[in-house]
Amino acid sequence: MKKFIQLAIAEAERGLRNGDGGPFGAVIVRAGKIVACVHNEVVKNSDPTAHAEIVAIRAAARKLKKFDLSDCEIYSTCEPCPMCLAAILWARIPRLFFGATRDDAAKIGFDDAKIYDFLAGKISKIPLAKKQVARRECLAPFAKWANLKSKIKY
Amino acid sequence: MKKFIQLAIAEAERGLRNGDGGPFGAVIVRAGKIVACVHNEVVKNSDPTAHAEIVAIRAAARKLKKFDLSDCEIYSTCEPCPMCLAAILWARIPRLFFGATRDDAAKIGFDDAKIYDFLAGKISKIPLAKKQVARRECLAPFAKWANLKSKIKY
């Protein structure tokens, strides 16, 4: 366990040296073997979703050729932000080890804590205007999905 | 506006026909022009993060060669799940139009509402064991980031 979080830290340092993005690393392990060992690539890839955990989940899923990572565990140098935490849940990863906290991330300028507070209903103001449109039409593909015998659930 | 949500619905239908994933589509628009028009690809790409909105954000950011999409708006056939909502916030997209709701998604078997309830503190039980490890060591790259003059913030 100590080995894997240390590898995640080494990735965070590598990303920092390369200017690839924020100082975060993540490792995904399956049956004691590393399947992904990566760092944040938001800047390198011009991809706002390329947090270390998302990059790790995508890499592991690609490598294992499956979207269900329920036989894996994830190590992250920081408590995952809500995007990454939800991604871990969607990937069905059952175990998370993390180092720094959302408040540690906030102290160096990242919005993790703010987004958590918004989702918890602790703050109501976010810079996003939401408007519901065309619900009825959007439900048409939902009804087809519900009736689809061949669907693959995830 | 109506045109863009209709294109998102058409994408949802296309994804459904192809068996690419769940029945969801998303469109990103900048200055009246479409920069991404995509659907959920979780199954097709074996990628648990490939929800329509994430696929759209990644495609738009790649096309525009920037991680800041604050000059864009996003149309989604469904209220974004917490992963996608947080991704929209990280991408700085200021306007969201959506059709169906998290409860509509729950009715056809998706976990959106459950993950929202967990993040809002309404349910405490999720299938994820969390453990904090090596915080002090994980803070070392944070301190370097804080002192880095050349950093690109996102």
Side-chain angles (χ1 to χ4, degrees):
Chain A
M1 197 186 77
K2 190 143 180 75
K3 179 177 78 173
F4 300 128
I5 195 72
Q6 282 173 339
L7 284 169
I9 296 168
E11 277 293 326
E13 297 273 2
R14 182 172 301 130
L16 201 53
R17 277 198 305 277
N18 296 352
D20 289 344
F24 309 104
V27 169
I28 291 180
V29 175
R30 181 170 171 262
K33 288 196 176 135
I34 293 165
V35 287
C37 184
V38 303
H39 56 261
N40 181 297
E41 296 183 335
V42 168
V43 173
K44 179 188 173 194
N45 293 343
S46 297
D47 179 356
T49 75
H51 289 194
E53 299 92 329
I54 298 278
V55 175
I57 288 170
R58 300 185 75 232
R62 195 165 53 236
K63 191 167 177 177
L64 299 173
K65 296 183 177 62
K66 55 181 191 168
F67 53 75
D68 182 327
L69 303 180
S70 56
D71 53 0
C72 294
E73 51 194 25
I74 186 163
Y75 294 77
S76 177
T77 58
C78 189
E79 180 183 10
C81 82
M83 173 177 75
C84 295
L85 182 66
I88 290 167
L89 293 171
W90 284 116
R92 315 296 176 199
I93 297 176
R95 263 181 308 282
L96 158 69
F97 300 90
F98 69 95
T101 68
R102 66 185 78 174
D103 295 317
D104 294 326
K107 277 181 202 150
I108 57 164
F110 293 97
D111 285 349
D112 305 50
K114 212 183 290 177
I115 299 175
Y116 267 112
D117 283 350
F118 167 68
L119 285 164
K122 290 181 190 166
I123 53 169
S124 57
K125 222 181 143 185
I126 51 160
L128 176 67
K130 290 190 279 186
K131 188 175 161 61
Q132 190 175 20
V133 292
R135 173 171 174 257
R136 196 178 53 78
E137 295 92 316
C138 288
L139 287 178
F142 279 34
K144 288 182 193 163
W145 171 266
N147 293 321
L148 190 68
K149 289 211 169 36
S150 64
K151 65 177 167 267
I152 298 170
K153 292 180 182 177
Y154 59 85
Chain B
M1 197 185 79
K2 188 136 181 83
K3 178 177 82 175
F4 299 129
I5 196 73
Q6 281 172 340
L7 284 169
I9 296 168
E11 277 293 327
E13 297 274 2
R14 182 173 301 129
L16 202 54
R17 278 197 305 277
N18 296 351
D20 289 344
F24 309 104
V27 170
I28 291 180
V29 175
R30 180 169 171 265
K33 290 198 175 133
I34 293 167
V35 288
C37 185
V38 303
H39 55 261
N40 181 299
E41 297 184 334
V42 168
V43 173
K44 179 189 174 195
N45 292 343
S46 296
D47 179 357
T49 75
H51 289 196
E53 299 92 327
I54 299 277
V55 176
I57 289 169
R58 299 186 74 233
R62 196 166 50 236
K63 190 166 177 178
L64 300 173
K65 296 184 176 61
K66 56 180 190 168
F67 52 76
D68 181 328
L69 303 179
S70 54
D71 53 1
C72 296
E73 50 193 27
I74 186 164
Y75 294 77
S76 178
T77 58
C78 188
E79 181 184 9
C81 82
M83 173 177 74
C84 295
L85 182 67
I88 290 167
L89 292 172
W90 284 116
R92 315 295 177 200
I93 297 175
R95 265 180 308 280
L96 158 69
F97 299 91
F98 69 95
T101 67
R102 65 184 79 173
D103 296 317
D104 293 325
K107 276 180 202 150
I108 57 164
F110 293 96
D111 285 348
D112 305 50
K114 211 184 288 177
I115 299 175
Y116 267 111
D117 282 351
F118 167 68
L119 285 164
K122 290 181 189 165
I123 54 169
S124 57
K125 222 180 145 185
I126 51 160
L128 176 67
K130 289 188 281 186
K131 188 174 161 60
Q132 191 175 21
V133 292
R135 173 170 175 258
R136 198 177 52 79
E137 295 93 317
C138 289
L139 287 178
F142 279 35
K144 287 181 194 162
W145 171 266
N147 292 321
L148 190 67
K149 290 211 168 35
S150 64
K151 65 176 167 269
I152 297 170
K153 292 181 181 177
Y154 59 85

